[in-house]
Structures are given as structure tokens and as C-alpha cells.
Amino acid sequence: MTFAIKADIPDPSAPVLTFTAQKTMYGGKHIAEGDEIFLFASENEGGPGLVACGVVIAAEAVARLPSVARQTPRVSISVRCTARAEKALGRRELKPFMDWQDGRPETELNFKFYRQATDKIVGLSDEAAAYLRTLF
């Protein structure tokens, strides 16, 4: 499976990035070592959107708190960056894709990242992953 993360990425040029206790949605909790991942620098934190892609070199589920009834699964990951994005893709570029039933990869990304704008790790369809690969 292929994944994407939207998070605060202070130095997108770093060869290895670590993300601690990240929220997961849309299958993101299944991320594992060796998985392909696309990195989006969160616009919530002043980032531009898609900045890099890489390979997960470590993934560990964060234990749930027994005192909290409903909680989103969280994972900590480390990523070795393999390429930098050559084309822009962020909230501005994805905003027009709002017909949730059209099956377009851009719509999937808009839905998963910006319908609920919190930072998170998400699982991607093969079509969305193929589309993202064209931006490198």
C-alpha cells in the first residue's frame, strides 16, 4: 500500500524525517517499514503542500490511552526521502476537485487531506499514488 502524510515539515530537504504520534485516517494505521509515502508540508503550519516522497524506514503504533474511550489510532514513523516534488500540489491546486463521487485522484487527495484539515497519515488508492508519482 502507498501512503501520504500531511504534517509540519520544518526541513523538507533533510534526508531522513521523523514524525511522532501522528494521527491516522483512511487506512493510515496500516503503514509499515518499506512502504512508499508522499510528504505534504502542512499549510496549517505554513508549508506549501507536496514536497517529497520517500520510503518508510521505521513504523511503530502508539499505544492507546486506557482513559480515553474514542481515539484515533496514531503511529510514529521515520522516512528516508528519495525525491523532491517538481510540481506544486497543495490546498489551492486541489480545491476545485470537490465532486466526491467523480473518482479522480485529485478529488481523493482533497477529500482525505482538506475536508478535515488536520494533519494525518492516510492510505492512498493505486490511482492517487500513480498521479502523485507524475509530480516528481
Side-chain angles (χ1 to χ4, degrees):
M1 195 167 179
T2 304
F3 297 87
I5 182 171
K6 181 170 69 106
D8 182 21
I9 305 176
D11 183 8
S13 65
V16 174
L17 297 166
T18 300
F19 303 95
T20 305
Q22 295 296 300
K23 180 179 181 178
T24 64
M25 294 178 75
Y26 310 109
K29 68 182 178 180
H30 299 293
I31 195 165
E33 184 177 336
D35 286 334
E36 179 181 29
I37 189 165
F38 293 91
L39 301 126
F40 286 73
S42 178
E43 290 95 341
N44 297 341
E45 307 295 334
L50 182 65
V51 293
C53 65
V55 176
V56 177
I57 57 174
E60 182 179 350
V62 174
R64 294 180 184 236
L65 300 172
S67 60
V68 180
R70 279 190 63 179
Q71 55 189 295
T72 302
R74 293 181 180 267
V75 296
S76 295
I77 63 170
S78 293
V79 175
R80 179 176 36 86
C81 295
T82 57
R84 304 287 168 221
E86 295 179 5
K87 298 179 183 173
L89 185 68
R91 177 176 278 150
R92 182 180 49 190
E93 291 79 16
L94 294 172
K95 190 172 184 166
F97 300 94
M98 297 183 68
D99 177 0
W100 303 140
Q101 307 304 316
D102 69 6
R104 295 182 60 131
E106 299 95 329
T107 304
E108 176 183 339
L109 294 165
N110 185 17
F111 179 86
K112 290 181 176 179
F113 277 149
Y114 301 113
R115 187 174 137 262
Q116 180 186 14
T118 60
D119 293 350
K120 63 188 82 96
I121 297 171
V122 300
L124 297 175
S125 69
D126 292 341
E127 294 78 15
Y131 168 71
L132 287 170
R133 289 183 196 107
T134 68
L135 304 175
F136 290 85

